[in-house]
Amino acid sequence: MSHSANPSANSSVHPGSAYQLRCAPIPLVRIGLVGLGQRGLQTLRRYGDVEGAQICALASLTAEEVERGNALLAESGRPRVRTFVGEEAWREMCALHDLDVIYICTDWKSHARMAVEAMRCGKHAAVEVPAATTVDECRTLVRTAEATQRHCFMTENCCYDWFALATLHLRDTGFFGTITHCEGAYLHDWRELFSEGHESARTWYRQSCRHGGNPYPTHGIGPIAQLLRFHRGREMGTKTGDDAKAGDRMHHLVSMTGQADGPDSLLGHANHTLITTERGVTILLQFDGTTPRPYSRIQSVSGTAGFVQKYPLPTVHSGTLALMGEAAENHLLRSMTDHAARLWLEGKEKGVPNAMNYAMDQRFIHCLRHGLPLDIDVYDAAEWSCLSELSRRSALEGGARMDIPDFLHREE
Ligand SMILES: NC(=O)c1ccc[n+]([C@@H]2O[C@H](COP(=O)([O-])OP(=O)(O)OC[C@H]3O[C@@H](n4cnc5c(N)ncnc54)[C@H](O)[C@@H]3O)[C@@H](O)[C@H]2O)c1
């Protein structure tokens, strides 16, 4: 069942929107990096490999953290940079005139306000996942990107995973027929990170156990959203009808969270969220960070003509084709030809630690240097991140239906 014959009906992309936003090309992208924990330092290392980008300033809570950042820059032959230390010092960094991007790697709670301030200071924001934790924060991100005409790029690296990139190509060849159902997840046993004295006893892991819904939805929904072209292909005033190239959007969800157990009730809380789109595709999203369930993002796509799934083993089924494991992987890898996919293959060839991060970084900087719209825009950041609050509210109300806002279109 479809919720609307024409998903664009009665709504329009308004003037001043940040949809397909193009900004002036930036020959050398100068970055101020905030949050030098595990992910921030990893980002700093990765950017040593990105041509046309330079880390120019660092901000974090402690002098020790920024010094570690500067030491890593020096070790890799890059210049030491200006540093900003303390809870609010990142604001001074945002105000600098010689930065183009504020790259945010702090914990979830501060992402949205930092991204908003960065855009208000005329910078593009790059923000770790999730970009926001509430629907209100999502709206503020969107309205700020629109008002400032700055990019807000959520660094959802799973969208640059080889399997996700291959499914985009399969969709374009018609492999799936009509896509009917997708599954995504973040199943990652984080239990050891709760142990006392563990170096990475980070607050956001604990926060996620207390959440009550799916606090970390973007790894699961990101690749599905790109596959189904959420909010794309529906330009102002166009009637997309049943055009296979038309976009879609998430319409509503219901969510349930399983029971908790263990010391301090930190274990369990597995969340299952069922979403339906305007066109009637169903999506199952799962989150489980505290049971021995093996790592998986599932990544399955069911269509009337074809089926693929990444975990536990890559699988491709269509007509007489039935491949699994290495055979499926080789088959899919052969189909990867677009720019992001070529970058993933380049990263693999170079032997980088994580080719999806490599492809994401290279694509982000490539688009900024060429003044192109970004692969992940502020509407994606809002649509994917808002599932955190909505899944929680639904689960707390026993699986109540929650409508998912249309952040792109304003009702006329
Ligand atoms: N995309 C991925 O695969 C991936 C992987 C890991 C983490 N992450 C995301 O990255 C983010 C950071 O995770 P982490 O594991 O590095 O956490 P972390 O706790 O190790 O690091 C957070 C850092 O932010 C700094 N910070 C906090 N508040 C600050 C403030 N007001 N001003 C300046 N600095 C501040 C802290 O000092 C710390 O260095 C999280 O949002 C997480 O979801 C994403």
Side-chain angles (χ1 to χ4, degrees):
M1 187 199 76
S2 158
H3 294 282
S4 161
N6 171 12
S8 297
N10 302 321
S11 59
S12 65
V13 177
H14 53 89
S17 147
Y19 179 60
Q20 296 290 301
L21 179 66
R22 288 174 184 267
C23 294
I26 309 171
L28 176 66
V29 180
R30 298 160 302 175
I31 299 172
L33 182 59
V34 52
L36 291 165
Q38 179 260 146
R39 191 69 179 163
L41 291 174
Q42 214 181 68
T43 302
L44 183 144
R45 279 194 205 93
R46 295 199 318 262
Y47 267 79
D49 275 340
V50 185
E51 203 188 314
Q54 194 176 351
I55 306 276
C56 296
L58 301 175
S60 208
L61 282 184
T62 68
E64 199 187 352
E65 286 173 333
V66 293
E67 180 44 39
R68 206 176 303 150
N70 253 333
L72 277 175
L73 286 174
E75 268 170 38
S76 56
R78 289 175 281 172
R80 292 172 66 88
V81 298
R82 291 158 289 178
T83 59
F84 298 83
V85 175
E87 187 74 41
E88 297 296 322
W90 58 275
R91 291 181 188 277
E92 292 169 52
M93 189 174 80
C94 288
L96 294 176
H97 291 299
D98 54 355
L99 295 180
D100 305 297
V101 169
I102 301 296
Y103 199 125
I104 301 155
C105 293
T106 56
D107 56 276
W108 305 343
K109 293 275 180 219
S110 50
H111 286 177
R113 71 191 162 94
M114 288 180 173
V116 163
E117 178 69 7
M119 290 187 275
R120 285 186 182 146
C121 289
K123 314 297 187 292
H124 300 303
V127 58
E128 259 304 338
V129 296
T133 56
T134 67
V135 175
D136 278 352
E137 282 184 349
C138 291
R139 285 209 174 90
T140 309
L141 281 179
V142 166
R143 298 301 166 239
T144 308
E146 290 174 342
T148 59
Q149 293 290 292
R150 297 289 86 190
H151 292 296
C152 178
F153 180 71
M154 184 166 66
T155 57
E156 182 39 85
N157 47 354
C158 296
C159 292
Y160 297 87
D161 169 56
W162 69 272
F163 193 90
L165 296 170
T167 58
L168 299 182
H169 174 80
L170 292 181
R171 172 201 63 195
D172 293 342
T173 61
F175 168 89
F176 294 112
T178 298
I179 296 175
T180 56
H181 176 74
C182 299
E183 297 187 13
Y186 194 64
L187 310 174
H188 193 171
D189 184 358
W190 284 339
R191 285 172 303 158
E192 66 155 333
L193 298 171
F194 297 139
S195 53
E196 282 305 320
H198 192 289
E199 193 202 346
S200 317
R202 299 179 202 110
T203 49
W204 58 272
Y205 291 118
R206 280 180 180 270
Q207 280 167 16
S208 69
C209 292
R210 301 269 180 240
H211 184 267
N214 182 341
Y216 209 54
T218 67
H219 286 336
I221 195 66
I224 296 171
Q226 302 231 306
L227 182 78
L228 300 178
R229 292 194 181 90
F230 287 164
H231 78 253
R232 290 177 171 80
R234 299 192 298 152
E235 280 79 1
M236 186 168 3
T238 57
K239 291 201 169 154
T240 52
D242 286 331
D243 177 358
K245 292 239 184 304
D248 200 348
R249 79 169 193 89
M250 290 182 281
H251 191 271
H252 67 268
L253 64 77
V254 294
S255 185
M256 292 187 194
T257 297
Q259 65 175 328
D261 201 2
D264 215 10
S265 289
L266 279 174
L267 307 179
H269 304 272
N271 176 265
H272 299 80
T273 298
L274 199 52
I275 299 165
T276 183
T277 72
E278 273 189 346
R279 288 183 177 275
V281 181
T282 50
I283 299 167
L284 175 63
L285 275 194
Q286 299 187 47
F287 171 80
D288 185 353
T290 52
T291 73
R293 197 169 167 186
Y295 180 89
S296 173
R297 299 198 304 274
I298 301 180
Q299 287 190 248
S300 79
V301 183
S302 305
T304 51
F307 169 85
V308 297
Q309 175 158 301
K310 182 172 183 193
Y311 297 92
L313 280 178
T315 305
V316 181
H317 275 214
S318 151
T320 53
L321 193 66
L323 303 172
M324 201 175 245
E326 213 177 313
E329 189 168 337
N330 290 337
H331 178 79
L332 291 173
L333 283 172
R334 275 198 297 277
S335 71
M336 290 176 49
T337 51
D338 82 352
H339 187 225
R342 279 186 278 120
L343 288 170
W344 186 93
L345 291 164
E346 183 181 289
K348 202 72 189 157
E349 184 85 16
K350 283 186 171 180
V352 300
N354 184 317
M356 69 184 187
N357 286 335
Y358 178 88
M360 173 179 74
D361 298 339
Q362 300 284 343
R363 266 298 289 174
F364 176 50
I365 297 303
H366 171 87
C367 292
L368 289 179
R369 292 183 81 192
H370 291 86
L372 299 171
L374 303 185
D375 299 335
I376 298 171
D377 64 17
V378 70
Y379 303 103
D380 293 311
E383 288 162 13
W384 310 350
S385 301
C386 82
L387 301 179
S388 169
E389 176 182 334
L390 296 177
S391 62
R392 176 172 183 274
R393 278 174 34 206
S394 171
L396 292 178
E397 290 177 33
R401 166 182 162 148
M402 296 287 147
D403 289 338
I404 301 174
D406 181 348
F407 292 99
L408 177 66
H409 295 91
R410 291 188 185 158
E411 293 306 311
E412 287 177 328

